[in-house]
Amino acid sequence: MVTTVLFYAFAAILLVAALGVITARNPVHSVLFLVFAFLQSAVLWLLLEAEFLAITLVVVYVGAVMVLFLFVVMMLNINVEELRSGFTRYLPLGIGVALVVVIEIANVIWFRSEGQAFVTPTPHAADYSNTKELGGVLYTEHVFALEIAAMLLLLAIVAAITLTMRTRHRPGLKVQDVPAQVAVRAEDRIRVVKVGPVKE
Amino acid sequence: MIDYALAAPEIFMTAAICVVLIVDVFLRQEKRWITYTLSMFALVGAAVVSLLFGTDSVATTFSGSYVADPAGNALKLFAYVIVALVFLYSRDYLERNGLYKGEFFVLGLFGLLGLMILVSGNNLLVLYLGLELQALSLYALVAFNRDSAAAAESAMKYFVLGSIASGMLLYGISILYGIAGTIELGPLAAALTEPGGLTVPAIVGLAFVIVGVAFKFGAVPFHMWIPDVYQGAPTPIALYVGSAPKIAAFALAWRVLVEGLGPLHVDWQGMLVILCVLSLVLGNFLAIVQTNFKRMLGYSTISHVGFILMGFIAGTENGVRDAMFYTIVYVLMATAAFGMIILLSRRGFEAESLDDFKGLNQRSPWFAFVMLLIMFSMTGVPPLVGFYAKLVVLQSVIEAGLVWLAALGVVAAVVGAFYYLRIVWYMYFAEAKDSSPLVAATDLRTAISVNGLSLLALGLFPGYLLNLCASVLG
């Protein structure tokens, strides 16, 4: 009973937040609404006993991806009016796509499950850990795929550096020499000059 | 229990990549030869490990996601040789054009690791990850020369089209998983043979998988990236893209189509016939009108892919053997052909136009002869090995009852003869534009000579390689 109330409460807030993402005039507000929506869906996942996904959503999406998003939005200085100019023009297409999705979901939920009783999954025991189960599968059965994914990430780092780093060793180019800056001593910068007495 | 020894080549290569990567960071530009030597040692070491840990039987490990079998081992050994040749051919060119960086070797080895994983992948997830590992290193390699707008453009095209293709492949895999409830190849084939199975959704999944495989091969209509990448990328990288990944494409098609989706052979045979016919016709006719040698090789690749697909179309054990034979032969020929471009190039000058081959006989009779061997082999003139490769795939489609397809293959080969033999004509009967003698390092000259002569040697004794393919697949 409590979970049902909680579900509807968070689902309602999620919908409001999602609406906020597309209606907010300020792109920074949109991003913040998206963060809010992510948090709400994380709670929904918690209610479904998928706590690992909930934590990942908060840590990865809210913690890393959305912060990056905020930086990009702030740095690019997006012109909202320009983005909005096509809003009404693309409206029929948007409504069409949304209708198709709604029909598909309705098809699955109502018509395909007609006559079948909706079974509530039995809740797990209190000491059941979703994270532990996932880890168990990931590090035993799929350990080979996991290691390849690790190599993929290493490759992505190498590729990104290869394509973007330019070595700056052209003569005459002014660059910071950090080790030299750190190793500098007071004697190199200040010259103490003993000035003899001056005769008048 | 996990048997790590079966995956020893991959584990060794992973460690070797990390060593090369770390060592290279500490090297000055004039010490770059150390990276090159280390990469070569990595390849030799991997070959030794593969030979030591190779099995005569089929064994799986990592809960069925990795398979070690003789055919995979043979393909890996061949891939080491090809990548070693690529590094050897490239060193001189990279040094001359200011591209001699450690990342070239690191990315090349990463691509090889992807290939090895793909060759030994026994479930769809591992196959996909291996494919991505290789593709990602290839995208970065194509864009390697950052000062070249053409390279950046071709890398962008390759990347966008490649992403769409892997998306398609992944979608197909997800549908197949939904039907069979497994991503492992053996159980997948078993689930598809069950009577009353979901055949129509399985065919939909299959169609998407075919798109991914065809893109990897560069079969028409998923060929658009090939000519642009071959022409736009620096020659050593075009050499890399045009050689080793074809082994990966063969492995992908063999594992997924024959081992995983074997029960759907009737369905994918029809799809492959369409790809094969289009590749043969379009590849050969568009190659005729090219004036850029690299672009011409791109279209010629497309037509050769048509022949490789013929082996799969037959679908029999012999058919797969013939496809493997053709793939190995084609990769040897392509490596030699791109090697010749590197040999003829000088600092700041790419010998990529057909005119650059004019009068090669006056400049260097020996290399004109080697080029003649390569071109005759690509055409399919006996006694070179290219002839036997064409012969066996044509035999396999005739055995499968598709005589018309074999006839089309012969017509395509005749059309192809025009643009290959035109180069021979240029070399021997046209006046040279510049008559300066060839300057190239001794190792490059020796390797290309050996590579060219291997086409003749394999052609004189084709049974050896063909039996080898049959025995490892058996």
Side-chain angles (χ1 to χ4, degrees):
Chain A
M1 184 59 213
V2 181
T3 47
T4 317
V5 173
L6 279 177
F7 170 78
Y8 281 111
F10 282 108
I13 300 173
L14 172 63
L15 279 179
V16 173
L19 274 177
V21 177
I22 56 166
T23 51
R25 290 206 164 272
N26 188 333
V28 177
H29 290 174
S30 276
V31 174
L32 290 175
F33 267 120
L34 196 55
V35 170
F36 195 41
F38 276 142
L39 279 173
Q40 305 309 312
S41 26
V43 175
L44 293 188
W45 256 328
L46 267 184
L47 291 175
L48 289 169
E49 297 186 3
E51 70 269 11
F52 179 72
L53 284 176
I55 295 164
T56 318
L57 190 69
V58 173
V59 172
V60 177
Y61 276 85
V62 178
V65 178
M66 293 320 290
V67 171
L68 206 68
F69 231 84
L70 259 178
F71 271 119
V72 172
V73 166
M74 286 174 179
M75 271 199 272
L76 290 187
N77 191 20
I78 295 161
N79 187 352
V80 189
E81 289 312 310
E82 207 173 285
L83 280 178
R84 275 177 200 283
S85 58
F87 192 72
T88 41
R89 212 180 57 178
Y90 296 122
L91 195 63
L93 183 71
I95 290 177
V97 171
L99 265 180
V100 170
V101 174
V102 166
I103 291 170
E104 280 174 346
I105 294 176
N107 181 28
V108 171
I109 292 178
W110 277 311
F111 305 120
R112 283 293 172 101
S113 60
E114 209 174 357
Q116 295 170 8
F118 187 76
V119 199
T120 323
T122 43
H124 288 285
D127 60 346
Y128 172 83
S129 169
N130 177 273
T131 315
K132 203 172 158 186
E133 295 295 313
L134 268 174
V137 176
L138 209 55
Y139 289 99
T140 55
E141 204 185 324
H142 294 295
V143 69
F144 190 55
L146 188 83
E147 292 299 331
I148 304 171
M151 284 311 276
L152 258 173
L153 287 179
L154 178 62
L155 170 61
I157 297 169
V158 174
I161 293 174
T162 309
L163 295 183
T164 52
M165 198 185 79
R166 287 185 180 270
T167 39
R168 297 192 175 87
H169 288 307
R170 271 188 293 136
L173 199 70
K174 288 184 178 171
V175 279
Q176 266 189 318
D177 188 355
V178 178
Q181 286 178 332
V182 173
V184 80
R185 292 165 304 158
E187 298 90 87
D188 300 337
R189 293 288 159 89
I190 307 167
R191 193 160 54 89
V192 182
V193 185
K194 282 247 160 62
V195 183
V198 181
K199 280 183 196 161
E200 288 287 335
Chain B
M1 209 49 235
I2 297 173
D3 186 359
Y4 292 101
L6 288 175
E10 279 77 7
I11 295 171
F12 175 83
M13 188 47 81
T14 308
I17 289 171
C18 296
V19 170
V20 174
L21 188 62
I22 295 288
V23 170
D24 180 65
V25 173
F26 293 100
L27 293 178
R28 290 170 182 281
Q29 185 56 38
E30 59 269 19
K31 292 272 173 63
R32 201 60 70 200
W33 61 270
I34 296 178
T35 315
Y36 168 73
T37 318
L38 265 182
S39 312
M40 282 302 200
F41 273 121
L43 292 170
V44 173
V48 171
V49 171
S50 281
L51 286 172
L52 281 181
F53 290 86
T55 51
D56 290 336
S57 54
V58 180
T60 60
T61 181
F62 290 112
S63 332
S65 57
Y66 180 96
V67 62
D69 53 4
N73 218 23
L75 284 175
K76 277 183 216 170
L77 283 168
F78 179 62
Y80 304 147
V81 175
I82 290 301
V83 174
L85 275 179
V86 169
F87 285 173
L88 202 156
Y89 290 174
S90 310
R91 192 182 54 92
D92 210 24
Y93 180 99
L94 294 173
E95 222 164 350
R96 270 181 278 144
N97 291 281
L99 291 170
Y100 198 35
K101 295 179 202 154
E103 288 89 349
F104 174 79
F105 301 104
V106 173
L107 289 173
L109 290 178
F110 260 118
L112 177 65
L113 179 67
L115 185 151
M116 293 161 72
I117 291 166
L118 196 55
V119 165
S120 279
N122 197 35
N123 78 26
L124 295 171
L125 178 65
V126 168
L127 286 171
Y128 172 74
L129 285 171
L131 186 73
E132 280 302 285
L133 193 61
Q134 191 185 48
L136 198 57
S137 70
L138 291 182
Y139 302 147
L141 274 176
V142 173
F144 195 67
N145 184 6
R146 285 175 313 184
D147 300 326
S148 155
E153 185 197 327
S154 57
M156 201 64 205
K157 280 180 186 163
Y158 189 22
F159 176 65
V160 172
L161 291 173
S163 315
I164 295 172
S166 20
M168 295 274 190
L169 180 68
L170 213 50
Y171 187 49
I173 289 174
S174 73
I175 293 176
L176 290 176
Y177 176 60
I179 294 164
T182 174
I183 50 172
E184 212 177 308
L185 295 181
L188 177 67
L192 289 173
T193 32
E194 270 173 34
L198 296 156
T199 40
V200 174
I203 292 168
V204 174
L206 168 72
F208 283 103
V209 171
I210 291 267
V211 172
V213 174
F215 178 84
K216 196 71 203 150
F217 264 122
V220 181
F222 308 101
H223 66 288
M224 281 84 126
W225 60 278
I226 286 198
D228 285 331
V229 168
Y230 281 26
Q231 189 184 5
T235 312
I237 285 148
L239 159 69
Y240 188 78
V241 176
S243 56
K246 292 290 172 288
I247 308 172
F250 166 79
L252 180 70
W254 166 49
R255 294 278 185 215
V256 175
L257 294 185
V258 180
E259 295 201 337
L261 300 172
L264 298 176
H265 173 234
V266 189
D267 304 298
W268 55 254
Q269 186 182 40
M271 299 182 194
L272 287 189
V273 166
I274 297 169
L275 294 175
C276 172
V277 169
L278 288 175
S279 303
L280 285 175
V281 173
L282 213 72
N284 275 315
F285 279 99
L286 288 178
I288 290 177
V289 295
Q290 304 306 323
T291 53
N292 182 302
F293 184 57
K294 279 156 81 180
R295 206 172 173 82
M296 193 202 91
L297 277 182
Y299 283 107
S300 112
T301 301
I302 296 168
S303 73
H304 283 289
V305 163
F307 283 106
I308 295 176
L309 290 179
M310 279 187 182
F312 285 108
I313 287 169
T316 52
E317 253 177 45
N318 276 350
V320 178
R321 179 202 66 186
D322 299 340
M324 184 173 168
F325 182 68
Y326 201 105
T327 309
I328 290 176
V329 169
Y330 171 71
V331 170
L332 271 178
M333 295 191 296
T335 314
F338 276 108
M340 284 305 292
I341 305 178
I342 294 179
L343 187 77
L344 293 182
S345 302
R346 291 187 305 277
R347 179 193 273 282
F349 170 73
E350 294 258 333
E352 55 178 8
S353 164
L354 289 184
D355 292 340
D356 297 324
F357 285 89
K358 278 184 178 165
L360 185 62
N361 187 38
Q362 297 152 25
R363 296 170 64 195
S364 167
W366 171 246
F367 284 108
F369 173 68
V370 172
M371 189 65 183
L372 172 104
L373 289 181
I374 301 165
M375 286 300 116
F376 273 10
S377 183
M378 283 206 170
T379 317
V381 176
L384 287 141
V385 70
F387 168 72
Y388 292 99
K390 283 204 169 61
L391 187 69
V392 289
V393 289
L394 290 176
Q395 263 174 351
S396 68
V397 283
I398 291 174
E399 275 167 30
L402 294 160
V403 182
W404 65 271
L405 189 61
L408 184 79
V410 172
V411 172
V414 172
V415 173
F418 171 73
Y419 57 85
Y420 294 127
L421 297 184
R422 182 169 56 180
I423 292 181
V424 175
W425 187 78
Y426 277 171
M427 285 192 308
Y428 283 92
F429 303 110
E431 204 54 41
K433 275 203 303 186
D434 73 310
S435 48
S436 55
L438 290 181
V439 216
T442 326
D443 55 346
L444 179 62
R445 285 163 169 272
T446 323
I448 289 189
S449 305
V450 171
N451 194 341
L453 287 178
S454 70
L455 299 176
L456 184 62
L458 286 173
L460 290 173
F461 307 102
Y464 175 69
L465 184 61
L466 201 59
N467 286 342
L468 186 77
C469 290
S471 70
V472 292
L473 279 168

